[in-house]
Every structure is written in C-alpha cells, then in structure tokens.
Amino acid sequence: MDQSVYYYQLPELTQEEKKFSYARFYTDYPLYKPSPIQQQVLDGGPMDPSKAIQAENWLDLLQVHGYRDVVYGYCMMPDGSGFYIEYSTSPVTWQPTYRRWFGQWVNHHSPSMVPEQGSLRYKIWNPLDHWDHRFVNGKDDTDGIWSMETLDMGIGGDASKGVAAISHNIDLREYGLTKEKEKELADAHCRASACYEEFDGPGHHLVLRFSRPCPLGGVENINCEWIGYYPKDGKIIRDPETPVSEQYLRNVLLHNTVERAHLTQVLPDLWEACHEKDLDED
C-alpha cells in the first residue's frame, strides 16, 4: 500500500538547512493528514452559528466539566465575523516543559541561519505552511511574537509570501476572568491563555486556548478563535475590516489540526535531542 496517502509531501530543505543537527525532525517525521473523523467534519461544511460562542461571551469556553454541542467546527457569524473551535488531546506522556522550552527555541534565530530562508525551527512545526517565527524584541514575548506563514496546507505554494502577523498576549483578568473563576480553574488543573493577532494588512483575530484533564487520561485542549475581534481597554471590540470567508476558516482549522498533531508527535524527541544545547547551536 502507498503510505503517502496518509501524509503530505514536503518541500526540499536547502543545503544550509540540511546541515543543521535537527534537520532530521523535518525529514524523518511524516506530516500526517487529519484523522478520518476530523476530515469528515471538515468536509461536512460549516457548523450551525447558533452553536458558536459569541465573541463578547468568549470566556464561556472555560468549562471545568462537560462539553459544548460542537467542539470541532467553523462558521461565519451573522455579523460577518468568523469563528472556529478546535478539540484535540495530548497523551499522558506529554510534559508542559516541552512546550515551554519550544516557545524559546522556536523564537530564537541562531547566527548560522540564513535570513532569506526563514527558520527551520519553525518549519518543523508545520513544514508546508510555516516560514519564520521570532520575538519582536529579540529576547521575549513582551512586545509580541512575529510570524510569517500560509494557512492552507501548501495550496498557496510559498510560505515565504504568506501572511505576516504579530501575536500579543492578553491578561484574562483584565477581560472578564474573575478571581473566583481563576481559582476554580486552578483547583481543577485547567489552564487558559489568550492572545490577539494584528496583521500588515487590515484585521484582527482573538484567540482563547483552554486545556483540562481528559477523562480518558492525558489532557484535552479546546481552543477558539474569533476572526474580526480584538481586545482594548477591557472590552472585546469588533473589527469589520478583517477579511474572512468559510473557505478561510476551514483552511485555518485544517492547518491548526495538522500542526497540533505533528508537534505532539515530534516535540518529545526534539526536546530530548536539543533542550540541553545552547540556543545558538544548530
């Protein structure tokens, strides 16, 4: 059987990238397509907008127990904005330290990187769509994280000509998360974080990420994004200039589904091989 039916074909690395010690994490780990169930949902078209979370009620996502009617899907909203919700799980063996280390490593540019070739560290995460990723100020996420990527699993053909964005963290206590709710989440071993994205062109995205213990073991992740909203002065604001369509939403959900599963596969081995090395070492 032709196993390639299960995974995507990847662009060839440059000669410089092939010399990096971690190049094998690009070449030796197949980028698998979504599971049959996920693909069925994607092919089934958009979800009922009445099942989506309204942007102004975004913290409704933070449920310690139970599930919404839809936990994986996308749709245009009546006000012209876009919404998607993404459900995934992490195995019992997954360690938060992997992701914390990766957040530093992927945003650091070593001296031997060729700027015109993007960042192989970022490409490992999603080889078809990722190009570059770095701290705006070169040291931490205080001033945001800049990225360049496409969001269509290679259909566009050149990630270096994708969408440039800057992601900024949000303090949820400033946007509706009460001290009591924060304690409830902490006591239940749940985690929540949020950011918003701004772009070279018009538009804003609002992102809320939530994880909690999975009844079957490990962790379940339920993330949402509101395309066409951003936070300001304690309020969630509509940005009607944000471009969005059903096809775009489907593409983004597919992109996120693939890259999350791929990082879960690759990161434990990548961490083991690289976490004790200097950030400048390739």
Side-chain angles (χ1 to χ4, degrees), residues 6-166:
Y6 299 117
Y7 53 82
Y8 296 95
Q9 298 299 311
L10 306 184
E12 183 79 8
L13 293 179
T14 66
Q15 291 303 312
E16 292 82 2
E17 289 172 329
K18 290 177 180 179
K19 296 176 183 178
F20 293 161
S21 64
Y22 47 82
R24 62 188 177 90
F25 293 100
Y26 181 101
T27 58
D28 297 357
Y29 288 72
L31 182 66
Y32 287 102
K33 296 178 180 180
S35 73
I37 293 176
Q38 292 167 326
Q39 191 63 58
Q40 179 179 337
V41 174
L42 290 167
D43 292 345
M47 62 188 279
D48 181 347
S50 70
K51 305 296 184 181
I53 302 174
Q54 300 292 326
E56 59 268 26
N57 300 322
W58 68 320
L59 297 187
D60 286 357
L61 174 67
L62 309 182
Q63 298 177 244
V64 172
H65 303 292
Y67 300 93
R68 305 188 61 81
D69 290 344
V70 177
V71 294
Y72 187 87
Y74 66 92
C75 65
M76 293 292 295
M77 299 295 285
D79 67 355
S81 65
F83 171 83
Y84 73 78
I85 184 168
E86 175 198 2
Y87 177 89
S88 66
T89 58
S90 302
V92 176
T93 54
W94 183 263
Q95 299 294 324
T97 188
Y98 300 156
R99 194 63 181 81
R100 289 193 293 269
W101 167 81
F102 187 70
Q104 292 294 316
W105 188 77
V106 75
N107 284 300
H108 184 79
H109 278 218
S110 65
S112 56
M113 289 183 179
V114 179
E116 295 77 18
Q117 296 179 4
S119 169
L120 178 57
R121 298 182 182 194
Y122 186 43
K123 294 175 187 178
I124 287 172
W125 190 354
N126 185 330
L128 278 182
D129 278 351
H130 286 181
W131 183 255
D132 204 354
H133 209 269
R134 62 176 181 266
F135 294 128
V136 170
N137 62 20
K139 60 180 181 179
D140 59 33
D141 62 6
T142 302
D143 299 312
I145 297 174
W146 180 92
S147 65
M148 174 68 75
E149 64 181 335
T150 50
L151 295 164
D152 56 12
M153 294 312 300
I155 293 175
D158 187 351
S160 71
K161 294 179 173 60
V163 177
I166 298 178

Side-chain angles (χ1 to χ4, degrees), residues 194-208:
C195 70
Y196 73 94
E197 298 171 332
E198 56 183 352
F199 303 89
D200 284 350
H204 289 85
H205 297 182
L206 179 69
V207 180
L208 181 59

Side-chain angles (χ1 to χ4, degrees), residues 170-239:
I170 299 171
D171 183 348
L172 286 172
R173 289 295 299 275
E174 296 178 2
Y175 288 89
L177 183 65
T178 65
K179 184 177 181 180
E180 293 73 22
K181 184 64 175 182
E182 190 174 52
K183 183 178 186 304
E184 178 192 6
L185 296 176
D187 289 346
H189 305 288
C190 301
R191 296 174 60 88
S193 64
C195 70
Y196 73 94
E197 298 171 332
E198 56 183 352
F199 303 89
D200 284 350
H204 289 85
H205 297 182
L206 179 69
V207 180
L208 181 59
R209 303 183 180 99
F210 182 54
S211 63
R212 64 187 188 182
C214 180
L216 300 177
V219 173
E220 53 187 8
N221 313 287
I222 312 173
N223 300 336
C224 287
E225 187 165 348
W226 293 265
I227 313 297
Y229 282 90
Y230 66 99
K232 184 177 181 181
D233 300 329
K235 297 181 180 179
I236 302 303
I237 308 296
R238 174 81 172 102
D239 180 358

